[in-house]
Amino acid sequence: MSPHAPLIIDIAGLALSKTDKRRLKHPLTGGIILFARNWENRAQLKALCHDIKKVRADLLICVDHEGGRVQRFKTDGFTHLPPMRALGELWLKDAMAATNAATACGYVLGAELRSCGVDFSFTPVLDLDFGESSIIGDRAFARDPRVVGLLAKSLMHGLLQSGMANCGKHFPGHGFVKADSHTDIPVDKRSLKAILADDAAPYDWLNTTLTSVMPAHVIYPKVDARPAGFSEKWLTYILRGQLGFGGAIFSDDLSMAGARLIDGKEVSYTEAAVTALNAGCDMVLLCNQSVDGGEAVDELLNGMAEAQLEGRWEPLESSELRRLDLLPVIPAHGWDDLMVHPAYMHAMGLIP
């Protein structure tokens, strides 16, 4: 088996440049995350994904595609999926209809992406809707962790039917804090007991269904001084040990403000990545750094290779197996076949 490739990076444009291909060939690159700037239409997206797989077939092609305001591809036939709050609101009227609608959303989301060559979406959001967080807001299903758990499980069932893995985020919960971790470092001062009983409960209940988890760039000072994504206590002892989670752990974007301050000091991307991996992450994301030449991407690739040689982090076979387990194994339907497929047509009729 090849050594573990923990880095998920991005590209600037609609097609791969020579520089992109060089970065994707790097042995520490394990995947690519796509954004709206990488989208023109379905034909272009399919060609781009094909070219990525030509570089290396095992690269995981990811996207943030949740529905509502977080959906990167919205034109050329892609279904506009509702925000998850719409499913929570439906639950209040008819719980069984809401679970069916959630499964339908998951299936349509996964099947449409896969027909264009995308492997994986960072969804569902398991944060609770406390009505406080501007960055989470209607991305959350509900305030009640039981409703969140059941609707998320239904959505993940739909993803599974399409052949796609899933990612619960943002562990142990981003919904209670007001600050946006893209620009600030949110602090949640509640006790571990309170968080486990409420926000983190879906991670416990879904530990047989979740295939990956993304921790929050939030500090919970009653538990650890480090943000959850850099905390061995949160990732190794609580998420894996106490809550029994065995899947892959992704860091959130290392370029976010919440990722750049560890133990009170500003750190480089390489230091942040090494800290995240040593805390228990299997993979780390560096987003939106390929634009303007991508010096930060090369800095991370070179820095991580150097850190590995120096023994500051160690590639784990278990991490590589978790990464490979996220790749789809069942064949995807072509777009035209998908449009007339009975399961797809049925699902489309259930989406609110």
Side-chain angles (χ1 to χ4, degrees), residues 9-13 19-20 23 33 35 37-38 286-297:
I9 60 174
D10 63 9
I11 61 165
T19 305
D20 292 328
R23 289 173 183 151
I33 179 166
F35 290 92
R37 68 169 183 274
N38 307 124
L286 184 66
C287 303
N288 298 317
Q289 299 304 307
S290 63
V291 287
D292 303 330
E295 278 176 34
V297 182

Side-chain angles (χ1 to χ4, degrees), residues 178-202:
K178 273 187 186 172
D180 175 359
S181 53
H182 291 85
T183 51
D184 290 300
I185 302 179
V187 177
D188 185 337
K189 295 180 177 172
R190 291 175 300 163
S191 68
L192 176 60
K193 187 179 175 186
I195 295 165
L196 289 179
D198 211 2
D199 301 60

Side-chain angles (χ1 to χ4, degrees), residues 42 46 78 110-118 332-335 338:
R42 283 187 286 109
K46 194 171 180 183
F78 264 92
E112 289 183 355
L113 287 174
R114 289 206 58 215
S115 79
C116 295
V118 178
H333 296 294
W335 188 272
L338 181 64

Side-chain angles (χ1 to χ4, degrees), residues 30 39 54 87 151 224 243 275 289 293 314 316-317 322 334:
W39 161 262
K54 265 193 351 198
L87 297 170
L151 289 176
D224 196 345
L243 303 181
T275 305
Q289 299 304 307
E314 188 185 343
L316 299 174
E317 191 174 329
R322 288 189 189 109

